[in-house]
Amino acid sequence: MKKIKVFDSEKGYNLAAKEYDKRKTYLDSFEKKQLLPLLGDIAHKKILDVGAGTGRLSVELQKLGAEVTALDVSEEMLGELKRKNKNIETVVGDAEKLQFENETFDIVVAAFLIVHLKDPTRFFDEVYRVLKNGGKFLVTNINQKDPPKIKTSAGEIVIESFYHRPEKVRGILESLAFGIEKEVIVKEGEVWINQIVLARK
């Protein structure tokens, strides 16, 4: 059997970018339309989408009237986003070292991101820093013990990922002085597949 190569997020998503939007329905299924309604009215809000990828959320946020900045470690993924929507600012960058001033954004969102971070603490701390006082942080934590195989032009690959228990994610947020406003546990049968947390600075 041919061994499947494991890549870090930057290299892996650069390889996967062209094919990635074929996975949209699969990715949406983890949220069951419960993500964006948690934010309420976002017209004219400054939103940072971290791990934005090809813009699955960024495009929807912009349609709802937000001023969106999309950040991702993969330049190729952001290139796909730019082809779809020229009104979204794109920034190639690291979630654990956000290159923005303190208190820049009203809202930060991060879906399918912390699964790629060994420890989300540094990222959560950075989110706290760039959020305005009273700002909202919407984060998802998917239940993924085994990373899925992703089709790319270079064949099937796996992107390095990490498993986080929901109580661990809550605990880190609270330790950094976030207030948890809402938590949704999305299930399939008896199994949790996604934790969606709305926290406030």
Side-chain angles (χ1 to χ4, degrees):
M1 269 216 359
K2 191 177 171 190
K3 196 156 188 247
I4 291 180
K5 280 191 179 172
V6 179
F7 289 88
D8 66 22
S9 292
E10 182 182 0
K11 289 187 184 130
Y13 282 116
N14 277 338
L15 284 171
K18 294 272 187 270
E19 302 284 318
Y20 194 74
D21 281 346
K22 293 176 184 170
R23 297 166 55 81
K24 183 179 184 303
T25 304
Y26 168 71
L27 298 174
D28 287 345
S29 73
F30 283 83
E31 292 155 4
K32 306 207 184 300
K33 297 191 169 35
Q34 295 195 66
L35 188 71
L36 295 184
L38 291 172
L39 293 175
D41 181 10
I42 58 170
H44 311 298
K45 299 286 187 194
K46 286 189 76 170
I47 300 184
L48 175 64
D49 182 4
V50 186
T54 60
R56 187 178 68 91
L57 291 184
S58 291
V59 170
E60 293 305 312
L61 293 164
Q62 202 266 334
K63 278 186 197 161
L64 292 167
E67 183 188 323
V68 182
T69 301
L71 180 138
D72 202 276
V73 73
S74 164
E75 192 168 358
E76 294 292 325
M77 293 282 272
L78 291 176
E80 295 298 308
L81 190 166
K82 276 192 237 181
R83 275 189 267 285
K84 289 181 210 168
N85 190 316
K86 303 262 189 296
N87 298 314
I88 294 170
E89 183 187 356
T90 57
V91 178
V92 178
D94 181 348
E96 295 179 305
K97 292 190 212 101
L98 297 174
Q99 60 259 61
F100 306 102
E101 298 291 323
N102 295 354
E103 299 181 20
T104 300
F105 297 98
D106 300 297
I107 298 167
V108 175
V109 298
F112 291 95
L113 170 75
I114 66 168
V115 72
H116 297 303
L117 302 177
K118 192 168 187 180
D119 178 356
T121 306
R122 193 179 305 158
F123 167 55
F124 289 172
D125 203 26
E126 279 289 270
V127 171
Y128 195 91
R129 180 182 67 75
V130 302
L131 270 177
K132 295 174 184 174
N133 286 328
K136 296 176 183 176
F137 178 32
L138 186 61
V139 60
T140 76
N141 170 36
I142 60 166
N143 181 353
Q144 184 173 281
K145 285 187 175 166
D146 296 307
K149 298 180 187 78
I150 297 173
K151 287 192 174 112
T152 76
S153 53
E156 282 193 333
I157 66 164
V158 162
I159 298 172
E160 186 178 40
S161 68
F162 304 93
Y163 174 72
H164 305 296
R165 291 284 312 157
E167 58 272 19
K168 175 187 163 188
V169 171
R170 275 197 309 274
I172 296 169
L173 287 166
E174 288 172 338
S175 75
L176 295 169
F178 278 104
I180 292 178
E181 299 217 325
K182 186 93 192 234
E183 179 182 36
V184 177
I185 301 290
V186 180
K187 291 187 171 182
E188 280 186 357
E190 293 302 303
V191 180
W192 76 277
I193 60 165
N194 198 8
Q195 172 192 26
I196 304 171
V197 180
L198 179 67
R200 194 182 283 270
K201 176 174 173 177

